Amino acid sequence: DTGVSQDPRHKITKRGQNVTFRCDPISEHNRLYWYRQTLGQGPEFLTYFQNEAQLEKSRLLSDRFSAERPKGSFSTLEIQRTEQGDSAMYLCASSWGLNTGELFFGEGSRLTVL
Amino acid sequence: AQSVTQLDSHVSVSEGTPVLLRCNYSSSYSPSLFWYVQHPNKGLQLLLKYTSAATLVKGINGFEAEFKKSETSFHLTKPSAHMSDAAEYFCVVTRGRGSYIPTFGRGTSLIVHP
């Protein structure tokens, strides 16, 4: 399967713990996006990378959130000191070139904070 | 700033009848517009896209959408609904070349009755 993959698919954690999600994009795609989706809402933009450079971050991305894409391939999204409000589906998507908006999504990582 | 408004949170149709999912956009520049579909427990999938070529855009599974600049609309239609069309649909806008942040609407849940 050469699509976008995310790991883990589900994560249950206690408030205050740190969690990390991984995204492997389609190999030839240079852009990688993270979105967050809560029940009944559309995906909300968090951050995006072009190759290894993080070019934009949403105001939704508090200091507890950090994302990396060290070699321009896979990316990680870490949430420190999780809060119950962080419970959501975290979506990763990738795209290529100037095809803005034409995203290929993974199936998401669902986070539940108890 | 750019945004999309999906006018209906839920649309209910009978199998074999037409589908209309409404979307209005706001953009300071010539937008690119997209519709995505999300089936339960599946990743988001691109249905169709408008990028300043033909105003009537055809997508997968018999869906199409018409870009109307005068009405700032990009409604999604299908002549005859199928049970498998039941899903969440998202209208998405990007500003176009130079803006790489797709902005999602809140989504419309399509319910198809037998």
Side-chain angles (χ1 to χ4, degrees):
Chain A
D1 184 18
T2 57
V4 177
S5 63
Q6 293 188 243
D7 183 72
R9 294 289 311 281
H10 303 274
K11 178 72 176 178
I12 300 173
T13 191
K14 293 182 180 179
R15 189 176 53 187
Q17 299 295 304
N18 299 343
V19 296
T20 298
F21 300 114
R22 176 181 169 123
C23 172
D24 287 90
I26 294 172
S27 58
E28 61 268 27
H29 285 183
N30 60 339
R31 291 205 185 87
L32 186 148
Y33 300 77
W34 286 99
Y35 283 81
R36 181 172 67 188
Q37 186 178 23
T38 53
L39 196 63
Q41 302 293 321
E44 296 174 299
F45 169 75
L46 293 178
T47 188
Y48 97 97
F49 294 83
Q50 182 162 310
N51 301 313
E52 66 275 10
Q54 187 174 20
L55 295 188
E56 190 160 341
K57 295 193 290 186
S58 164
R59 282 172 289 181
L60 291 174
L61 213 64
S62 75
D63 291 344
R64 296 185 297 104
F65 288 70
S66 62
E68 294 183 342
R69 193 183 184 197
K71 296 182 180 179
S73 56
F74 74 92
S75 175
T76 58
L77 177 68
E78 181 182 16
I79 309 174
Q80 296 183 325
R81 305 181 302 282
T82 52
E83 301 172 357
Q84 288 186 325
D86 297 331
S87 296
M89 179 74 86
Y90 290 86
L91 301 171
C92 176
S94 66
S95 70
W96 168 249
L98 296 174
N99 294 327
T100 61
E102 192 167 348
L103 304 178
F104 293 80
F105 280 87
E107 294 190 352
S109 293
R110 181 170 296 284
L111 173 64
T112 301
V113 182
L114 302 176
Chain B
Q2 59 196 31
S3 65
V4 289
T5 301
Q6 292 186 242
L7 298 165
D8 306 293
S9 59
H10 297 85
V11 169
S12 183
V13 301
S14 297
E15 189 175 23
T17 64
V19 175
L20 170 64
L21 305 183
R22 299 182 294 166
C23 172
N24 286 106
Y25 70 90
S26 172
S27 177
S28 302
Y29 300 87
S30 296
S32 294
L33 293 156
F34 307 79
W35 277 96
Y36 281 78
V37 61
Q38 187 175 36
H39 286 94
N41 301 314
K42 297 287 187 182
L44 284 147
Q45 181 185 16
L46 179 67
L47 265 184
L48 51 78
K49 63 180 179 180
Y50 164 78
T51 55
S52 78
T55 56
L56 183 61
V57 180
K58 294 188 183 300
I60 61 172
N61 299 334
F63 284 95
E64 62 182 38
E66 186 172 7
F67 173 73
K68 291 187 176 180
K69 186 175 180 179
S70 61
E71 298 177 9
T72 61
S73 69
F74 190 58
H75 301 333
L76 182 70
T77 60
K78 182 173 180 177
S80 176
H82 191 273
M83 294 296 292
S84 62
D85 294 328
E88 194 80 16
Y89 291 80
F90 295 96
C91 184
V92 179
V93 63
T94 68
R95 194 179 71 183
R97 184 178 280 244
S99 170
Y100 303 121
I101 311 302
T103 301
F104 283 72
R106 293 185 60 177
T108 298
S109 179
L110 177 62
I111 302 161
V112 182
H113 298 286

